[in-house]
Amino acid sequence: MADPRGFLEVRHREEVPSRPVPVRLLDWKEVHEHRSKDETAAVLHRQAGRCMDCGIPFCHNGCPLGNLIPEWNDLVWKGQWAEASDRLHATNNFPEVTGRICPAPCETSCVLGINQPPVTIKQVEMAIADEAFDRGLVAPQLPHFLTGYTVAVVGSGPAGLAAAQQLTRAGHTVAVFERDDRIGGLLRYGVPDFKLEKHHLERRIAQMEAEGTRFRPGVEIGRDITYAELIARYDAVVLATGARVPRRLDIPGADLEGIHFAMDFLTQANRVVAGDEVPDQILATGKHVVVIGGGDTGSDCVGTALRQGAASVTSLDIGVRPPDERPINEPWPVD
């Protein structure tokens, strides 16, 4: 356990502050402020110390990856960053990504949430990953031997990259095929820079290349190479293509001018931020924009439209607006 009295003496959350809205709408950089090293370390020490190292850590169950959260909270509180990075990377290939864009179901599962704000797990995770890179602790992990087997991974989104990294480290020769011109899939062209600046992705790709993973951007299976040719060349094929086919609303007016699918809009915007020229780009500049859908993709569209200078942005969602605090009829651990 980190600090036996931490959750008693530090009863409030200290989250990474966001830059003022008028300021952050002027650029595409991440919305969070960057604090000094000393200030960040002090905040993390206090917040990691609130972790109670529960006998049954429900945060493990809340995390889809099964992150060893109490263990690396304890290590952060002790200032043992190398060990914390090892424990975090034991279950998570890309914590610098999940620490920024994951909705953090671990925090709603935190036992401290019974009567206090939960531990800032997501913030600690992001800090461990960033500190590990800053300290040079994230090095290529070369396989001890090569198996002689070859694997093709189709798709370079988070699933494809994670599969490729694990297979490479196991000693297989892995090639990742991506139909877009850059590696990253949804992380590259779906998630805007104000949520995930692309230099985080680039340095992880560099690590994977140093480990031996081979990348083949601009290659579409079924057009540039057939599936039959692919399985003939490789011993195994991993399909991690994601879901790029949009869901059209079957309602009157769905085909009217000015209606666009989210991924078309976001992909073009991300390409422009990356320095590409996009002819006939879908732009929200000066327009009254309605975004249908209030999830992650919808919020990405809202933020992108505002940064493009939309006259107004309205977000519509089919669900009921969730309360700001946990309602009395849904006590912990009901989600």
Side-chain angles (χ1 to χ4, degrees):
M1 185 174 185
D3 183 355
R5 295 188 57 81
F7 69 98
L8 296 173
E9 297 175 353
V10 182
R11 300 180 63 87
H12 62 283
R13 283 169 61 95
E14 296 176 271
E15 300 188 59
V16 180
S18 297
R19 295 188 291 147
V21 173
V23 174
R24 67 180 191 243
L25 290 182
L26 297 175
D27 59 44
W28 296 87
K29 297 183 182 297
E30 291 182 0
V31 301
H32 300 303
E33 290 184 351
H34 294 284
R35 297 181 291 198
S36 68
K37 287 279 187 180
D38 291 342
E39 183 182 4
T40 299
V43 170
L44 292 173
H45 180 80
R46 290 192 293 269
Q47 292 303 303
R50 298 176 68 229
C51 179
M52 299 187 293
D53 193 15
C54 308
I56 301 178
F58 286 88
C59 55
H60 282 194
N61 183 62
C63 176
L65 299 176
N67 280 340
L68 307 173
I69 296 165
E71 296 185 28
W72 40 258
N73 273 329
D74 175 63
L75 293 166
V76 167
W77 185 75
K78 295 176 179 176
Q80 298 176 357
W81 291 99
E83 293 81 359
S85 176
D86 287 342
R87 298 312 293 153
L88 178 55
H89 282 93
T91 56
N92 191 339
N93 291 79
F94 315 123
E96 70 280 5
V97 174
T98 56
R100 285 176 165 81
I101 66 177
C102 175
C106 54
E107 294 190 5
T108 58
S109 304
C110 176
V111 177
L112 192 58
I114 293 175
N115 62 355
Q116 289 187 38
V119 175
T120 56
I121 300 171
K122 181 177 176 179
Q123 175 180 326
V124 176
E125 176 183 343
M126 180 177 67
I128 295 172
D130 290 348
E131 190 70 18
F133 272 106
D134 290 345
R135 296 188 179 209
L137 301 175
V138 182
Q141 298 182 29
L142 302 178
H144 296 295
F145 61 90
L146 295 179
T147 64
Y149 291 108
T150 58
V151 182
V153 176
V154 182
S156 69
L161 291 178
Q165 187 170 64
Q166 292 301 110
L167 289 166
T168 298
R169 291 175 176 178
H172 307 311
T173 301
V174 180
V176 179
F177 292 86
E178 169 59 56
R179 69 177 181 179
D180 285 329
D181 57 337
R182 296 183 179 94
I183 297 297
L186 180 69
L187 301 178
R188 173 74 66 182
Y189 289 128
V191 180
D193 281 43
F194 57 79
K195 281 189 176 179
L196 178 68
E197 291 184 19
K198 298 306 178 279
H199 67 85
H200 299 295
L201 180 60
E202 295 293 354
R203 64 187 181 184
R204 187 61 77 170
I205 292 173
Q207 180 202 28
M208 294 180 63
E209 287 180 322
E211 291 173 345
T213 301
R214 304 170 183 181
F215 293 104
R216 303 287 186 266
V219 178
E220 182 174 348
I221 308 304
R223 184 193 66 186
D224 302 305
I225 178 175
T226 67
Y227 183 71
E229 291 173 327
L230 194 69
I231 59 176
R233 293 185 189 180
Y234 293 87
D235 297 304
V237 176
V238 177
L239 296 179
T241 55
R244 292 285 292 270
V245 179
R247 185 169 61 127
R248 185 181 300 274
L249 293 179
D250 187 18
I251 57 175
D255 296 322
L256 290 176
E257 184 179 355
I259 296 176
H260 306 282
F261 291 116
M263 285 306 299
D264 295 336
F265 176 55
L266 293 174
T267 297
Q268 290 186 3
N270 281 334
R271 286 187 178 279
V272 171
V273 173
D276 295 346
E277 292 187 7
V278 178
D280 301 320
Q281 181 189 359
I282 303 169
L283 286 171
T285 309
K287 298 178 181 178
H288 296 282
V289 178
V290 176
V291 178
I292 300 177
D296 285 340
T297 303
S299 71
D300 292 345
C301 290
V302 169
T304 299
L306 289 172
R307 283 164 177 78
Q308 290 181 351
S312 69
V313 180
T314 302
S315 177
L316 302 180
D317 188 56
I318 195 172
V320 178
R321 184 185 184 280
D324 294 329
E325 298 180 357
R326 187 188 295 273
I328 193 170
N329 63 332
E330 291 185 6
W332 182 96
V334 178
D335 191 359

